[in-house]
Amino acid sequence: MIRRLFIYLGKKIRNTIDFFYPPFRKYVSIQFFRYGFSGVLNLVFSWFSYFVFYQFIIQKRLVNLLIVTLSGHVASLVANFILTTFTGFLLQKYVTFTHSELKGRKQLVRYVEVAIFNLFVNYLGLKILHEGAGIFPSVANVIVSIITTVISYFLQKIYTFRTKNSESSK
């Protein structure tokens, strides 16, 4: 029942995204366009959910987890990372990479692995570009985001949502 709902919603979202694709046809594949569009949707959702976590759920307070106490903004970041990793997975599974034969659980584990890898690449990239090269943090973040988006696309395509036949951009 829930799976059918995700398939239905994925198809509706895919059709909406595909409506905006024609001007970009010369530059990127439909699959990469869907990947980027879904990623932007998840990014905007991430901004909104972080705000809700920080302002209304955690209410800017410290969160005591017995072994460690997190500041409100860090606790919101952790909760938001968990939520948006899950929503990002659903978007990629049901909108972008719909032809993978791998089981959903295996895809989810691999998706989380790639997300954690990207988090590490983001951290390392910001350290190198900002602290090492002296690039302004926001500019460094944009550069690293572009790099991780491309890396992530290929990791998701080849590893997370792999298909037997390489043609998965239908």
Side-chain angles (χ1 to χ4, degrees):
M1 173 85 172
I2 291 177
R3 187 177 190 298
R4 270 193 259 153
L5 175 64
F6 287 145
I7 291 169
Y8 173 79
L9 290 174
K11 185 175 181 180
K12 290 294 184 189
I13 293 168
R14 197 168 43 255
N15 289 340
T16 303
I17 292 170
D18 290 357
F19 175 79
F20 295 101
Y21 177 64
F24 301 94
R25 177 176 282 133
K26 293 179 185 176
Y27 309 105
V28 295
S29 70
I30 186 71
Q31 188 180 52
F32 190 78
F33 186 77
R34 288 175 182 161
Y35 179 82
F37 205 104
S38 297
V40 169
L41 286 176
N42 203 46
L43 176 64
V44 171
F45 175 68
S46 170
W47 293 337
F48 175 75
S49 61
Y50 178 87
F51 175 78
V52 170
F53 277 120
Y54 185 67
Q55 294 292 331
F56 302 111
I57 297 172
I58 295 172
Q59 299 176 342
K60 306 175 192 174
R61 295 178 294 191
L62 295 174
V63 176
N64 185 347
L65 301 176
L66 298 178
I67 57 172
V68 68
T69 299
L70 301 177
S71 62
H73 68 281
V74 171
S76 298
L77 178 67
V78 170
N80 192 54
F81 178 77
I82 293 166
L83 176 64
T84 57
T85 296
F86 185 69
T87 56
F89 168 74
L90 291 174
L91 283 168
Q92 297 311 326
K93 178 176 177 57
Y94 293 105
V95 175
T96 305
F97 301 105
T98 58
H99 292 89
S100 177
E101 297 92 9
L102 296 175
K103 293 201 180 278
R105 275 177 269 173
K106 190 170 198 169
Q107 290 174 340
L108 179 58
V109 168
R110 289 179 176 198
Y111 188 88
V112 170
E113 290 171 351
V114 171
I116 291 169
F117 174 76
N118 281 335
L119 191 59
F120 176 73
V121 170
N122 269 300
Y123 173 77
L124 199 62
L126 287 174
K127 292 290 264 184
I128 292 168
L129 293 177
H130 173 61
E131 293 178 19
I135 297 173
F136 190 71
S138 295
V139 174
N141 186 47
V142 168
I143 294 168
V144 172
S145 294
I146 292 168
I147 292 167
T148 57
T149 297
V150 173
I151 291 170
S152 179
Y153 170 74
F154 287 107
L155 286 174
Q156 300 300 4
K157 181 177 179 175
I158 295 165
Y159 177 65
T160 305
F161 299 103
R162 181 184 64 192
T163 59
K164 286 181 184 171
N165 125 16
S166 305
E167 182 58 49
S168 59
S169 58
K170 295 180 184 175

